[in-house]
Amino acid sequence: MKLNVNNPVLFKELKLRFRSPKSFVGMLFYLLAMCLFVFGFIFTTMSLTGVSYFRPSESMLLFSFLAFIQLGLVLFITPGLTAGAISSEREKQTLPILLTTSQSSFQIITGKLLSSISFLLLLIVSGLPVYSLVFLFGGISPMDFVRIFLFLFVTLLAIGSLGILFSTLIRRTIVSMIATYGTMLFLSVVTGFLFIIVMQLTRFNFNGVGLPPPSIAGHILASINPAVLFASLLSQGAAESLAEMTQVKWPIWIGYLIFYLSITVLSLWMAVKKLRVNMKRSK
């Protein structure tokens, strides 16, 4: 697994992706939608409260809405960008040509991954001026901003790596996409549902006085759910309520980083190992 900064696969994919007018048209409509949402939220809030200024507490609410919009963008667009990276090459019968070049499997996998998520990263970065409008009204610290974008990037990288892995293991793009979206829904929806069930069972089984016993399972489920993590990052009250429910003082963001960075490393490692193995089997 040789690391080489000069990655022709990455450069070729970036040129093909960003030369298309569709990419910039999509970015234009995305930014227009974000601007309409921000200004609509500001004017609606001011008209409902009957004041001519925007309060810092409402600025935090607007920032939370924008953060969850970006999270939804990452969760639902990343699988579509990465799940067909390798399987589409196999369907077009161009994968054997790619494998006969001097590029290593690591270069091919990382080049496909980075080129696939580059457009989504560009969308997130292009929304920074819209986020800057929130800072004009106060209530948001730069560290809140940095934390949100750090965990967005970690989530994007992990889901993108899963998409690349399924695209390498599965021959059909549609099946690979279904598997990636299914994994994403499990991590973002099913874990939240299981967390609620575990918390309810813990309360049901606890009939004594005082504090309930620690719920390790509930804490783990909360630690791998992106929505729960973002709620705890955006609201100190939500983080305290979560710690009170699970009775575990270990911050969930540490478990989130460990889990999703492990998924990224393992997915890329398996994709690199299985890329040429699948090619040999298909002969």
Side-chain angles (χ1 to χ4, degrees), residues 36-50 54 58:
L36 288 175
F37 174 79
V38 170
F39 287 111
F41 183 89
I42 293 174
F43 288 121
T44 301
T45 304
M46 291 172 60
S47 63
L48 291 177
T49 56
F54 197 64
E58 296 163 348

Side-chain angles (χ1 to χ4, degrees), residues 17-272:
R17 187 173 298 275
F18 288 102
R19 281 178 178 176
S20 174
K22 295 180 181 179
S23 300
F24 296 96
V25 172
M27 186 186 305
L28 174 63
F29 281 103
Y30 167 72
L31 293 177
L32 287 176
M34 284 195 67
C35 290
L36 288 175
F37 174 79
V38 170
F39 287 111
F41 183 89
I42 293 174
F43 288 121
T44 301
T45 304
M46 291 172 60
S47 63
L48 291 177
T49 56
V51 296
S52 58
Y53 58 89
F54 197 64
R55 300 171 182 173
S57 59
E58 296 163 348
S59 178
M60 185 62 191
L61 182 60
L62 175 59
F63 179 74
S64 301
F65 277 127
L66 289 175
F68 275 98
I69 289 175
Q70 295 277 34
L71 178 61
L73 183 76
V74 168
L75 292 178
F76 288 97
I77 294 184
T78 306
L81 293 175
T82 59
I86 302 298
S87 58
S88 62
E89 295 281 354
R90 187 180 291 112
E91 290 174 345
K92 293 185 293 185
Q93 298 183 355
T94 55
L95 184 60
I97 301 175
L98 185 61
L99 294 178
T100 55
T101 63
S102 60
Q103 304 305 306
S104 65
S105 299
F106 181 76
Q107 286 180 302
I108 295 174
I109 292 297
T110 54
K112 288 290 186 178
L113 173 63
L114 295 178
S115 63
S116 298
I117 66 176
S118 60
F119 178 68
L120 193 52
L121 283 174
L122 182 60
L123 283 181
I124 295 175
V125 173
S126 64
L128 294 181
V130 181
Y131 271 94
S132 66
L133 296 175
V134 182
F135 286 95
L136 296 176
F137 303 101
I140 306 296
S141 67
M143 284 307 300
D144 294 330
F145 186 78
V146 172
R147 280 197 299 265
I148 290 299
F149 273 84
L150 172 63
F151 283 97
L152 273 177
F153 178 73
V154 171
T155 308
L156 168 65
L157 199 60
I159 297 178
S161 300
L162 284 172
I164 292 292
L165 174 62
F166 287 123
S167 182
T168 305
L169 297 177
I170 302 174
R171 298 181 59 86
R172 297 296 180 182
T173 299
I174 185 65
V175 181
S176 172
M177 195 171 297
I178 291 173
T180 309
Y181 272 108
T183 306
M184 181 273 299
L185 289 175
F186 174 81
L187 294 174
S188 58
V189 178
V190 177
T191 55
F193 181 70
L194 292 176
F195 170 74
I196 296 175
I197 293 178
V198 169
M199 290 294 98
Q200 292 297 328
L201 290 176
T202 302
R203 290 184 178 182
F204 180 78
N205 294 328
F206 178 70
N207 296 321
V209 294
L211 296 175
S215 177
I216 305 298
H219 183 78
I220 293 175
L221 290 171
S223 299
I224 63 177
N225 188 283
V228 175
L229 171 79
F230 270 64
S232 65
L233 292 176
L234 294 169
S235 173
Q236 184 63 30
E240 294 174 355
S241 299
L242 183 63
E244 184 179 353
M245 291 174 62
T246 60
Q247 291 298 312
V248 178
K249 303 304 180 182
W250 184 264
I252 67 170
W253 65 266
I254 298 179
Y256 190 91
L257 283 179
I258 294 174
F259 180 77
Y260 280 90
L261 289 178
S262 300
I263 283 182
T264 301
V265 173
L266 289 175
S267 297
L268 292 179
W269 180 78
M270 290 181 62
V272 170

